[in-house]
Amino acid sequence: EVKHVGKGAVLFARHLFARTAQPTAGDDERKAWQEQARVHLSKAIALAPGAPEAYLLLAWSHTWGYADVRKGLAAAAKADALVPYHPEVYVVMGMLYKRAGQLESARTYLSAVERLRHAGGWAKQARALLDELTESADAPEPAKTSGSNSQPL
């Protein structure tokens, strides 16, 4: 019974996250749906703390939109403890570290995905994210400007 209720909360959270992708939704609606989904995921975790899916979805929810990277990393760490060496968990951790500006940690997790034999499609996503990190590191810094005339300093 408890596991079933937890699974229902996870499914409803997935539905709410899907709603945030609707192009007609406004920012306030997206934020409300995202927060509501996190509440349902927290309920699922309380009901079934050994189920990694709710932790993983909670971690995913902090990779975009209205996010708290620390909470996302904590949820990802719980998922990793329950399903070690899972490529999706490592991709999410890489995304969260990237969002936090901790690029070396992001590279560490994303590179690890490519070394996992069972990575499947996650290896391709990890490679794309690693390429983004490399491109952003290689890009020249924008010229600093001062005042309204936008001339380089």
Side-chain angles (χ1 to χ4, degrees):
E1 173 91 23
V2 168
K3 192 172 184 179
H4 178 70
V5 173
K7 187 68 169 173
V10 169
L11 291 173
F12 189 65
R14 282 186 183 275
H15 165 74
L16 290 169
F17 286 137
R19 289 179 77 181
T20 65
Q22 292 178 358
T24 57
D27 283 344
D28 290 340
E29 285 177 303
R30 284 189 177 104
K31 186 175 183 178
W33 291 333
Q34 197 172 21
E35 287 306 316
Q36 191 177 4
R38 289 181 181 141
V39 167
H40 285 279
L41 290 170
S42 295
K43 287 178 184 177
I45 288 167
L47 292 168
E53 184 181 16
Y55 291 108
L56 184 57
L57 277 175
L58 189 57
W60 266 114
S61 79
H62 288 286
T63 62
W64 41 257
Y66 312 96
D68 182 327
V69 172
R70 287 178 301 145
K71 288 180 181 178
L73 286 168
K78 288 280 195 178
D80 187 43
L82 292 167
V83 285
Y85 307 108
H86 194 286
E88 184 178 4
V89 174
Y90 284 7
V91 166
V92 171
M93 290 179 98
M95 293 171 76
L96 288 164
Y97 279 119
K98 178 183 174 195
R99 186 173 185 137
Q102 297 179 28
L103 304 185
E104 282 309 309
S105 294
R107 282 186 190 93
T108 298
Y109 278 97
L110 295 170
S111 296
V113 174
E114 293 187 310
R115 292 189 300 272
L116 295 173
R117 290 183 181 192
H118 61 284
W122 294 111
K124 184 176 181 180
Q125 185 166 355
R127 173 48 40 204
L129 290 165
L130 282 165
D131 290 346
E132 283 178 24
L133 287 172
T134 302
E135 288 170 12
S136 64
D138 292 343
E141 295 234 4
K144 293 182 181 178
T145 60
S146 174
S148 61
N149 61 6
S150 298
Q151 296 297 317
L153 295 175

